[in-house]
Amino acid sequence: MMHIISQSFSSSSLHHCTLKLFSKTISSSSSKLPHYKTKSQFKWRTNHVFVQTNPLLSLLETKCKYMNQLKQIHSQMILTGIFSNVFASSRLIAFCALSEKVIHFLVSCGFLEDAYKVFDDSSVRDLVSWNSMINGYVRSGRSREALMVFEKMKMASVEPDEVTIIGMVGACGQLENLEFGRKLHSYFRDKCLYFSIPLCNALMDMYMKNGSLNEAKALFDRMDERTVVSWTIMISGFAKFGCLDEAMRLFNEMPERDIVQWNALIGGYVQAKRSKEALVLFQEMQTMNIKPNEVTMVSCLSACAQLGALDIGIWLHHYIKRHKLCLTVSLGTALVDMYAKCGHIEKTLQVFHEMPIRNSLTWTAAIGALAHHGNGHDALSYFLKMVDSGLRPDDVTFLGVLSACRHGGLVEEGKKFFTQMTTKFKIPPKSKHYACMVDLLGRAGLLEEAYELVQGVSNEADASVWGALFFACRVHRNIEMGEKAALKLLELDPGDSGTYVLLANMYVEANMQHKARDVRKMMGERGLQKTPGCSSVEVNGNIFEFFVTDKTHPQSDQIYECLIQLTGHIEIVEYFPYIRYDLLFDSNVYSAW
DNA sequence: GTCACATACC
């Protein structure tokens, strides 16, 4: 037995070893243990005789490095399908049932429910078990449960140590509970306990996640000794809150760098919608011979998605294949999203179907892509498949579903899913969902129904919802309701020059020149300028940005000539019977000014 | 033994 366990578990021999290990173990204790073949016959064995005679457990008791091997066995069990065999899986858990280590083992495998069962059942719980449970929940993003365990710990009069506090501080970061985080900080300070580097890092991270950059900075400045993690927390914190100059300053200042800080910085630029600069950083990183990893790729693909930079996106896809980067769920999803946003629907679906594992975000990206491409029915059937496979849709998924209905003019389906969203899936609609529904109803000419929906929005409809109604009113020439919507829009956002322009346009179309003049006057009095629209296009890996009536590009004349030809070729689907396409396709709505 | 950093759908 000893021999089998201590030999190395190479991937080819592991399966064999695992089976051998189990058959040996089971047969070695067969005199004390009857063979249980079915679920009902099996009983949880945790008696002392079994524990003492179990060689695996005694090894676990002495040397924890076997934990890693146990983990390997476990993952092999899942891969080979043995884990679904109740007998084998229960055996594995039973091997260790009396050991506190099993809690850590189960936690590290993500089996928090099982871990908690063992934890809850055990009569003796040491501090490490408490900490394992708490940190297990925090790492899985289940901080509320971590908090509950912490409360229980307090009731059991177990004094928390530094590791407990680190876990709880992490929970405060996730739950955005700055107040409790500060309390934990002062608890440590008041007890005059030593602030280790991990504790300082955890506190800084908590302050950063709660947006308290100053408190994080103060801690950072006071640290005598810092690790790469300390620097990373500061860089990513500043980057997340858009303080990119500060992030860059720290990045340049830090003594030693690894890939994580590059990723934090690139991710910051992408989140700040400064994707071009993010890609420049990526290039810089490569000239410095730093190997990008999966996380880098995810951010860069997201940058390409924002910019519509298909060529660079394809290059990144090749890079991933060439360098055999692991196609994680995030990376696959980022690829799906990049192809979708760059308008390459075939590749979007190909990558989607090639992915070995997909989660709800992957499905959401695909549904959104199909919706955006006008394949409304496909989007809906993907949604049904997603739900069928047991994945939970979220508010973003429903945005895709509703916009699929909107683009396809599927009014009845839209209404059905909008209702299901709250009743079946318990997802409260946000203003974007309302805006989508108002748009769907509005385009179909159901203005009264749309207006009713706007009135029914909890916490008052925001500008996007009124904007959708205003658009529908303009399309269907309902001046009275359009006026109402526009005035509401001006009340909500008096600085949005677009509303004034569109309202004036509506009046002009309705031959109400005097009212149009009034609106323009109002805009002038409020000192508003029309904001120019901007779009970008990628050609041979270069990204070009164009503003409305922009003539700065050297080939401007040819570009406009091409644009005019393209506009002439656009097939107009007669979806809105009353729409004035000549006005929509006029070089821009602002040209009348 | 347990603990601290970067990533995808709006």
Side-chain angles (χ1 to χ4, degrees):
Chain A
M1 195 62 217
M2 197 63 175
H3 172 70
I4 294 167
I5 290 188
S6 55
Q7 67 171 262
S8 72
F9 286 89
S10 71
S11 56
S12 58
S13 63
L14 185 58
H15 183 200
H16 178 68
C17 278
T18 312
L19 291 173
K20 219 165 154 190
L21 172 78
F22 274 87
S23 61
K24 265 245 168 157
T25 314
I26 291 163
S27 60
S28 72
S29 52
S30 59
S31 57
K32 316 231 167 35
L33 269 176
H35 276 285
Y36 303 107
K37 290 201 178 68
T38 64
K39 198 178 171 181
S40 58
Q41 281 177 299
F42 181 78
K43 280 182 188 152
W44 200 255
R45 299 286 308 199
T46 53
N47 62 49
H48 277 279
V49 181
F50 173 66
V51 172
Q52 278 160 11
T53 54
N54 186 316
L56 180 59
L57 189 60
S58 60
L59 274 171
L60 283 173
E61 291 294 336
T62 49
K63 283 213 161 74
C64 213
K65 70 176 177 186
Y66 293 106
M67 224 40 178
N68 284 333
Q69 291 177 342
L70 194 57
K71 255 190 238 174
Q72 285 186 37
I73 293 172
H74 178 258
S75 59
Q76 280 301 311
M77 284 172 81
I78 294 173
L79 283 175
T80 53
I82 309 176
F83 199 73
S84 51
N85 177 326
V86 180
F87 177 67
S89 59
S90 307
R91 187 89 336 215
L92 180 75
I93 294 167
F95 281 153
C96 329
L98 282 189
S99 163
E100 279 101 20
K101 289 184 183 71
V102 75
I103 295 169
H104 173 222
F105 167 65
L106 291 168
V107 165
S108 66
C109 293
F111 293 123
L112 289 165
E113 270 67 38
D114 294 325
Y116 191 78
K117 226 182 280 165
V118 176
F119 172 79
D120 209 32
D121 282 347
S122 47
S123 47
V124 191
R125 293 177 209 148
D126 68 354
L127 186 57
V128 175
S129 308
W130 287 100
N131 289 347
S132 286
M133 272 326 301
I134 289 174
N135 286 302
Y137 279 129
V138 175
R139 242 181 300 129
S140 316
R142 294 163 60 171
S143 288
R144 282 187 199 290
E145 281 147 293
L147 212 72
M148 264 149 58
V149 178
F150 184 68
E151 285 297 321
K152 274 194 177 174
M153 184 176 174
K154 216 159 70 181
M155 285 194 296
S157 306
V158 180
E159 187 74 10
D161 72 347
E162 192 199 314
V163 180
T164 327
I165 302 296
I166 289 174
M168 288 319 298
V169 169
C172 292
Q174 277 177 22
L175 298 170
E176 295 183 10
N177 190 340
L178 182 58
E179 202 188 330
F180 190 45
R182 282 196 183 122
K183 253 187 206 157
L184 290 165
H185 189 171
S186 48
Y187 168 89
F188 232 72
R189 200 171 28 213
D190 295 346
K191 289 208 160 192
C192 296
L193 295 168
Y194 172 69
F195 278 77
S196 68
I197 297 178
L199 178 63
C200 284
N201 289 347
L203 283 166
M204 277 167 9
D205 193 44
M206 183 271 296
Y207 284 128
M208 276 298 188
K209 290 212 166 90
N210 280 298
S212 182
L213 308 187
N214 290 337
E215 275 166 291
K217 185 88 173 43
L219 255 168
F220 181 75
D221 288 339
R222 254 185 277 132
M223 282 171 88
D224 316 317
E225 215 187 319
R226 300 165 184 145
T227 62
V228 266
V229 178
S230 328
W231 288 91
T232 314
I233 290 165
M234 297 308 289
I235 292 169
S236 81
F238 280 121
K240 270 199 192 103
F241 281 90
C243 310
L244 292 164
D245 295 339
E246 187 66 12
M248 187 63 99
R249 199 179 61 77
L250 286 164
F251 180 81
N252 289 322
E253 216 176 272
M254 73 181 288
E256 261 179 283
R257 269 178 299 212
D258 64 31
I259 181 73
V260 182
Q261 297 82 50
W262 282 94
N263 289 346
L265 205 57
I266 292 174
Y269 275 97
V270 176
Q271 274 174 31
K273 309 253 180 246
R274 288 166 64 172
S275 293
K276 237 172 141 173
E277 287 154 275
L279 292 177
V280 170
L281 265 170
F282 174 68
Q283 271 176 340
E284 207 174 295
M285 180 179 149
Q286 282 186 301
T287 55
M288 291 173 81
N289 258 335
I290 294 160
K291 289 259 164 290
N293 65 7
E294 288 80 9
V295 179
T296 327
M297 288 298 161
V298 169
S299 291
C300 290
L301 285 167
S302 178
C304 292
Q306 275 180 26
L307 295 163
L310 181 61
D311 287 352
I312 304 174
I314 291 173
W315 185 88
L316 290 170
H317 195 176
H318 284 308
Y319 186 98
I320 292 163
K321 285 188 191 160
R322 201 167 56 238
H323 290 82
K324 297 195 169 42
L325 291 183
C326 177
L327 195 73
T328 57
V329 186
S330 314
L331 186 52
T333 308
L335 272 169
V336 168
D337 188 50
M338 182 277 294
Y339 280 121
K341 297 265 166 67
C342 293
H344 203 319
I345 191 74
E346 294 83 11
K347 264 288 190 193
T348 305
L349 296 177
Q350 191 195 327
V351 175
F352 176 82
H353 288 291
E354 279 172 5
M355 282 173 69
I357 306 169
R358 311 177 193 106
N359 65 13
S360 59
L361 269 71
T362 322
W363 283 93
T364 299
I367 292 166
L370 287 165
H372 205 77
H373 266 79
N375 305 359
H377 290 285
D378 286 349
L380 296 184
S381 79
Y382 270 59
F383 173 72
L384 296 175
K385 269 188 228 162
M386 170 188 175
V387 176
D388 257 1
S389 68
L391 288 168
R392 257 181 68 86
D394 65 4
D395 57 320
V396 187
T397 321
F398 270 99
L399 220 47
V401 170
L402 296 179
S403 84
C405 299
R406 171 173 62 173
H407 286 303
L410 310 168
V411 180
E412 286 313 309
E413 284 86 344
K415 284 190 203 169
K416 186 183 85 186
F417 286 120
F418 187 68
T419 313
Q420 272 194 10
M421 189 177 161
T422 35
T423 53
K424 190 171 167 192
F425 296 98
K426 314 276 176 229
I427 301 164
K430 293 183 178 169
S431 58
K432 283 195 173 179
H433 301 94
Y434 281 107
C436 208
M437 280 309 288
V438 169
D439 195 65
L440 172 65
L441 297 169
R443 281 172 195 249
L446 304 165
L447 287 181
E448 291 301 329
E449 210 173 319
Y451 189 71
E452 236 169 73
L453 192 67
V454 177
Q455 299 287 39
V457 177
S458 46
N459 309 327
E460 286 237 354
D462 74 358
S464 66
V465 184
W466 285 105
L469 186 70
F470 181 39
F471 176 81
C473 293
R474 269 162 43 225
V475 169
H476 293 286
R477 310 225 157 176
N478 187 328
I479 308 297
E480 200 185 324
M481 198 188 283
E483 223 172 13
K484 236 189 254 179
L487 291 178
K488 194 76 196 173
L489 273 172
L490 291 179
E491 186 189 313
L492 287 168
D493 191 359
D496 183 358
S497 56
T499 312
Y500 298 86
V501 177
L502 294 170
L503 179 60
N505 280 3
M506 186 178 82
Y507 285 138
V508 171
E509 285 167 44
N511 280 326
M512 297 161 81
Q513 310 293 352
H514 59 291
K515 285 221 174 190
R517 256 196 309 276
D518 288 349
V519 177
R520 286 180 205 165
K521 209 174 127 198
M522 200 200 301
M523 187 179 168
E525 281 166 3
R526 293 184 182 179
L528 290 170
Q529 298 266 319
K530 29 185 175 148
T531 29
C534 173
S535 59
S536 68
V537 67
E538 180 213 59
V539 180
N540 298 330
N542 291 314
I543 293 143
F544 298 91
E545 286 174 331
F546 294 92
F547 289 88
V548 161
T549 65
D550 195 340
K551 296 258 167 69
T552 51
H553 194 279
Q555 287 167 288
S556 188
D557 289 345
Q558 285 132 289
I559 292 170
Y560 274 99
E561 181 57 37
C562 181
L563 198 62
I564 289 163
Q565 283 186 17
L566 274 175
T567 312
H569 282 101
I570 289 175
E571 193 184 321
I572 298 167
V573 183
E574 277 296 325
Y575 184 55
F576 311 122
Y578 310 114
I579 200 158
R580 289 267 308 271
Y581 288 99
D582 54 331
L583 280 174
L584 275 183
F585 287 111
D586 193 3
S587 59
N588 61 73
V589 282
Y590 302 104
S591 59
W593 298 66

